[in-house]
Amino acid sequence: MTIALTASNVTVRFGSTIALRRVSASCARGATTVILGPNGAGKTTLLRCLVGSLRPDEGNVTLPGGERVHALSPAKLARHVAFHGQSRPMRTDLTVRQIVELGQFAVGRSIERVESVLDAFDLAGAAEQAFRTLSAGNQQRALLARAVAQLQADGVLVLDEPFATLDVAHVQRVVQVIRELRDDGQSIILTTHRFDLAHALADDVWLMRDGGIVAAGTASEVLRPERLDVVFGVPFQRVTTPSGAEWWQPASTSAAP
Amino acid sequence: MSNRRSPMIGLVVLTILLVLMIPLRVLIDRAPDGSLGFAWPEASYASFRWMALAGGMVVGVALGVSGGLLQSMLRNPLASPYILGVSSGAGLGIMVGLYLASIGRVTMHSTFETIPAVLGALVVLGLVYAFGRRDRRLDPVTVILIGVVISTMCGAGMMLLQSLVPAGLRGEFLRWLMGRIPEALPMSTLMICTAITGIGLIWSIRIGRAMDVAVLPDDECQTAGVSIAQLRTLQFVLAGMLAAVAVTIAGPIGFVGLIAPHTARLLVGPTHRPRIIGAALAGAVLVIGSDVARQVIDLGHGRLPIGIFTALIGGPVFLWLLLSGRAE
């Protein structure tokens, strides 16, 4: 297995709170890694360390060549890692196209790339619209498109809750984009609370709780009901689709009202 | 709604307005008997008008660009150059100078107001920078809070010293506090201020694309290739330097640094390179235009402070731009 990013003994403290405890994990190149865990498990903190925007108090995150991500200049790092977080931009009159173009600040401008990304995220019709006039879901798509426009060959796309505000149709659209990127050999790391999407997308799953990874492996290895019950504190039940796919998800989410 | 407009149209409009203001400031003449004239000035006082024009240009550009930098850095559309406490620091510096002069029974020449004003502004900038950092970078909310707290403390210091200095010196200070575009300024001061403003303008244009990226949240900005810590430090230093230049020449002239960047945004668009140029032009138009209005309008008590005109002219124009943009 070729490695895209490696976290070694990463510890992060916020005052007296330990957000990450000696986390070690490797993200495979050309694979989709899904991080699951309850609120406060440390998922976002881990992502911030992986993309070099948060320097661990102990440990390192390294690229395949051994370079520590937080020691790279932002301009160099931008060629290896593209990130979409949960925060929203400041109020701006920039258009959707201009927002997507921001992804190419450090990697060189490509109009074709911007156009193809706008198409991929179903944003071509809204390209000249002011970003601030979009709905929350459409803003999220524009910001996801910006991160994808930055992504270089052999780069790692890191997405924190990419489906949080999307409607059903656009969840499918974004899932499709992620699959195509993975099929092209790109590496993707994402967090989500959607177990169905985790099953649909994940080559690897990292299950987190209390600042640590409690299990890592394929979805079927990691997402076992006895483990999920303990980690999330709610009962899980098996879901089977007509196509035969099955996964475990919280019993309450599929219960009739 | 299409939001893409050519920045060039707005820049041309602002440039034309500025070009129109320049001859007005030079040619309008208010004679000692109060009569208004319109003629090329005699050689004996032409230099005063050119000096006022140059000073107004530098102050307007410095305030416009400084405001644009700070509104980006602090992620706050209400930010103005004085939010960093520069004017109150300069004011306290002058009051301290006046107080020390009164103790030593020395007459403080107006030229020497500049030194305590610059020192006061720089000390306050240093304090805001030192206390405004979190996680090894300037934090917008912390900078605003520290700036407001230090400004308030400087204000209290000014009031305290006002009650300690002789009444005659208080008038000197009040004159400074109202702001003015001086017609007599040491050439060395003007040259230094022009050079600093030119460097500040060019550097601000250079970091324009990075400022575009900085509309993104900090983590995305960093991973898109912009060092947010370096960018904010640069914006802070440039904005503080430019505000100090403006205060050195003109004292605290309100409103320009707040509305010039917004006027530029409305006329030129949201990307920062043209917007910074637009803010420089809008600032110069507003300051020189207000100085022209100041020559024309006489209510029988001599020329009014320029700050009145920057607010009375700039405010309605800005509101019109804002509301017509919203209607569109």
Side-chain angles (χ1 to χ4, degrees), chain A residues 111-200:
Chain A
I111 294 169
E112 295 78 19
R113 177 74 173 154
V114 169
E115 294 301 333
S116 75
V117 168
L118 284 168
D119 279 338
F121 281 89
D122 192 23
L123 287 166
E128 307 310 325
Q129 199 171 331
F131 173 81
R132 67 179 166 79
T133 64
L134 301 183
S135 68
N138 290 343
Q139 286 190 353
Q140 178 158 22
R141 273 191 295 137
L143 294 168
L144 285 164
R146 183 213 60 81
V148 172
Q150 180 188 333
L151 189 63
Q152 301 293 287
D154 294 339
V156 183
L157 179 65
V158 182
L159 309 172
D160 196 2
E161 299 281 358
F163 311 109
T165 59
L166 302 185
D167 61 33
V168 177
H170 288 118
V171 164
Q172 288 179 1
R173 175 76 76 147
V174 173
V175 165
Q176 183 62 28
V177 172
I178 291 171
R179 282 185 171 144
E180 286 171 7
L181 290 169
R182 177 215 183 260
D183 292 345
D184 286 345
Q186 310 274 25
S187 316
I188 297 112
I189 306 173
L190 65 91
T191 66
T192 184
H193 291 291
R194 294 277 303 267
F195 286 83
D196 55 338
L197 299 177
H199 274 273

Side-chain angles (χ1 to χ4, degrees), chain A residues 48 51 53 74-75 78 81 83-85 87-90 93-95 97-98 102 105-106 128-130 146 150, chain B residues 1-4 71 75 136-137 209-210 212-217 219-220 222-227 265 270-271:
Chain A
R48 294 184 65 209
V51 301
S53 68
V81 176
F83 178 56
H84 164 75
S87 304
R88 289 288 169 267
M90 67 183 280
D93 292 331
L94 291 176
T95 62
R97 182 189 303 281
Q98 287 169 326
L102 296 181
F105 172 77
E128 307 310 325
Q129 199 171 331
R146 183 213 60 81
Q150 180 188 333
Chain B
M1 182 187 80
S2 174
N3 194 50
R4 185 155 268 201
Q71 285 171 12
R75 297 170 164 257
R136 305 186 195 102
R137 67 175 72 150
R209 281 200 69 213
D212 289 340
V213 179
V215 304
L216 297 171
D219 288 341
E220 278 92 325
Q222 188 83 11
T223 49
V226 173
S227 167
R265 176 177 59 82
T271 50

